[in-house]
Amino acid sequence: MNEKKYLKIYRLACIEIFQIRFVNLILYNLIILLAITAIFQCVLFVQKFQLDYFIQLGPSYFLTLYMLTTLIYVPICKKMAPEFVQDLKFGEIHSDSDTVCKQNEKELAHAVAYMIISFVLAAISGILFTIPSEKDPDIFFIYSLIQQHFPEWKYLLTWGFKCSVVPLACITTMSPAHYLIYGLVHFKLQENVLLHNIENINGNYDNDEFLDPESQNVINERLLSCLKHHIKISRATRTVLRKTKYLVLPLVLEGCLMFINIVIHVFTVDEIQSQLWCWQLLLLTLCSFFTLGGLSAYGQKIEDASDDIFYRLVNVKWYNWNQENKKLYLMFLTNTQKPFRLHFSEDVSINYRQGVEIGKTFFTFMSVANQLHKKVNH
């Protein structure tokens, strides 16, 4: 029951909420608004072609691009995630084993907790960005656009945009990270069931030195069932990982450009710095690294899954089986050799190591920028 409850919560937040017409209306209006803003800003960058102007508004421009991309991904991901889950299912996720049930509940509880914390951080960050400041037109292009071209509607349009910031922050936190995690959680549930079934292939024949034909047939059925389960998981997972890498890569590039511009902005544009702007940047950075941490953790779990299945399979007592079962066992071992990876290329994957590398690169860049800023000032 707890498994179904946790899954229902995650499905509601990831998929079902975007099946409501009113929410979809808000979504597409936000896409149009951000697209118009990004196009106008890009045109002005080209027209003015000034480095100071680009540094001043660069962070908000790349933040707009990042949010626009995530909003565009929502319709794609809300269709892809259920299809993956449907392809992944092999009977019921539920297992009769209490150990598997506890593992699945723990996995789901962690995923739901991660989602809730992400939403809370996103909501707080969005609320901070709604607080009015006299520096807003110098940082966010849309406010200066409203002041210059729609002065008579300034307060209405400004507060209309500010009211959209909180749902915008929550939606962009959702896509595509939590869609991906929603699918990977189902993968982990299936993996736990598969590991349990592999461990119990021999069942009550584990200590038998001689197995009669009937016992060999029972083992054959269990082994074949596990092999089919593994093939189904592998096929569905590799398909979604192949599709997902093309979605995540643009967000990674836009996120990197955004934070590069933020660091340059912080250490070069002193006249528009304020305590509120610092808190806004701090919460934005915290949200981003929290999302990166979650994706790295689940990316690592996917990579570890192949090793878990392989080592669990290696520990099975196979030496009393007949030739047919041994050949099937060897085929199963061979199928586990190719690891699951959420990657953009052969060298770049989403895992703990890559997450740490991104964090180290960001803070190294900040340190270098700070040192250069101090030298220039002295």
Side-chain angles (χ1 to χ4, degrees):
M1 290 299 294
N2 284 336
E3 289 179 23
K4 291 181 179 179
K5 179 180 69 176
Y6 288 131
L7 283 173
K8 188 174 181 180
I9 293 172
Y10 223 123
R11 182 179 177 83
L12 174 65
C14 284
I15 298 167
E16 292 179 1
I17 192 170
F18 292 107
Q19 293 174 347
I20 302 171
R21 288 186 178 181
F22 178 70
V23 177
N24 271 327
L25 181 63
I26 294 175
L27 174 66
Y28 288 114
N29 283 332
L30 288 174
I31 290 175
I32 294 170
L33 174 63
L34 291 181
I36 293 172
T37 303
I39 292 170
F40 264 95
Q41 181 64 85
C42 185
V43 170
L44 282 180
F45 280 149
V46 174
Q47 284 182 345
K48 292 194 174 183
F49 209 70
Q50 296 176 358
L51 181 60
D52 292 343
Y53 182 72
F54 182 80
I55 291 174
Q56 179 180 330
L57 295 176
S60 62
Y61 175 68
F62 284 105
L63 177 60
T64 301
L65 283 183
Y66 180 88
M67 292 190 296
L68 177 61
T69 305
T70 57
L71 292 181
I72 293 172
Y73 283 172
V74 170
I76 301 171
C77 293
K78 77 175 182 181
K79 180 181 178 182
M80 186 187 300
E83 289 177 352
F84 169 62
V85 172
Q86 190 63 37
D87 292 341
L88 193 61
K89 283 185 177 178
F90 188 87
E92 290 293 327
I93 290 177
H94 177 71
S95 172
D96 293 333
S97 169
D98 290 337
T99 302
V100 174
C101 289
K102 288 179 181 178
Q103 287 176 340
N104 286 350
E105 285 183 15
K106 184 178 179 181
E107 191 70 44
L108 286 165
H110 288 169
V112 171
Y114 171 72
M115 179 189 67
I116 292 172
I117 295 172
S118 296
F119 279 3
V120 170
L121 287 175
I124 294 173
S125 178
I127 290 169
L128 280 179
F129 276 97
T130 62
I131 299 175
S133 170
E134 59 181 14
K135 302 293 185 181
D136 281 346
D138 297 323
I139 300 172
F140 302 103
F141 165 74
I142 192 167
Y143 296 133
S144 61
L145 180 68
I146 291 171
Q147 283 188 359
Q148 292 176 15
H149 299 282
F150 307 99
E152 65 276 11
W153 298 92
K154 180 174 68 174
Y155 293 105
L156 180 62
L157 293 176
T158 298
W159 279 104
F161 180 77
K162 283 183 177 293
C163 290
S164 69
V165 170
V166 176
L168 182 60
C170 292
I171 294 173
T172 52
T173 299
M174 169 70 69
S175 176
H178 285 285
Y179 284 100
L180 180 58
I181 290 172
Y182 173 75
L184 297 184
V185 165
H186 279 81
F187 170 89
K188 283 297 297 178
L189 302 184
Q190 292 287 356
E191 184 206 359
N192 290 338
V193 175
L194 177 59
L195 291 175
H196 173 75
N197 291 338
I198 291 174
E199 195 174 88
N200 290 277
I201 286 176
N202 278 319
N204 51 337
Y205 310 122
D206 219 12
N207 297 318
D208 293 355
E209 294 182 2
F210 175 78
L211 297 174
D212 56 44
E214 185 179 350
S215 301
Q216 294 284 2
N217 288 336
V218 172
I219 290 175
N220 183 271
E221 290 177 4
R222 293 172 181 171
L223 186 58
L224 190 59
S225 176
C226 289
L227 178 58
K228 288 180 179 178
H229 196 173
H230 181 261
I231 291 172
K232 196 173 184 73
I233 291 174
S234 299
R235 185 185 297 120
T237 304
R238 294 190 198 286
T239 298
V240 77
L241 293 182
R242 186 173 61 252
K243 292 179 180 179
T244 304
K245 70 177 181 180
Y246 299 113
L247 298 179
V248 178
L249 182 58
L251 292 179
V252 173
L253 295 176
E254 290 169 4
C256 290
L257 289 172
M258 179 179 68
F259 280 108
I260 289 172
N261 276 270
I262 285 175
V263 173
I264 295 173
H265 175 96
V266 167
F267 290 108
T268 55
V269 189
D270 294 326
E271 65 272 11
I272 62 172
Q273 302 298 325
S274 67
Q275 189 173 6
L276 176 61
W277 178 228
C278 292
W279 278 106
Q280 289 171 339
L281 292 180
L282 179 63
L283 261 294
L284 178 63
T285 305
L286 182 60
C287 287
S288 301
F289 275 95
F290 192 73
T291 301
L292 174 64
L295 284 174
S296 299
Y298 279 93
Q300 188 66 51
K301 286 183 179 183
I302 291 298
E303 289 192 19
D304 293 342
S306 301
D307 292 335
D308 293 341
I309 294 170
F310 176 78
Y311 289 124
R312 192 69 61 93
L313 199 56
V314 165
N315 290 324
V316 172
K317 296 180 180 179
W318 53 268
Y319 29 83
N320 293 326
W321 296 351
N322 59 25
Q323 289 301 313
E324 182 183 356
N325 286 341
K326 287 179 180 178
K327 288 179 181 179
L328 195 58
Y329 174 73
L330 184 61
M331 185 188 302
F332 199 169
L333 275 175
T334 304
N335 283 345
T336 62
Q337 294 302 301
K338 188 177 180 180
F340 302 113
R341 289 177 63 202
L342 182 57
H343 61 94
F344 312 128
S345 66
E346 290 301 319
D347 300 322
V348 182
S349 302
I350 296 181
N351 51 28
Y352 284 144
R353 184 177 64 82
Q354 200 65 43
V356 171
E357 287 297 323
I358 292 174
K360 286 171 62 178
T361 302
F362 173 73
F363 288 109
T364 300
F365 186 69
M366 280 197 65
S367 177
V368 171
N370 186 37
Q371 293 296 325
L372 291 174
H373 179 66
K374 287 181 179 179
K375 287 183 178 180
V376 170
N377 287 342
H378 287 309

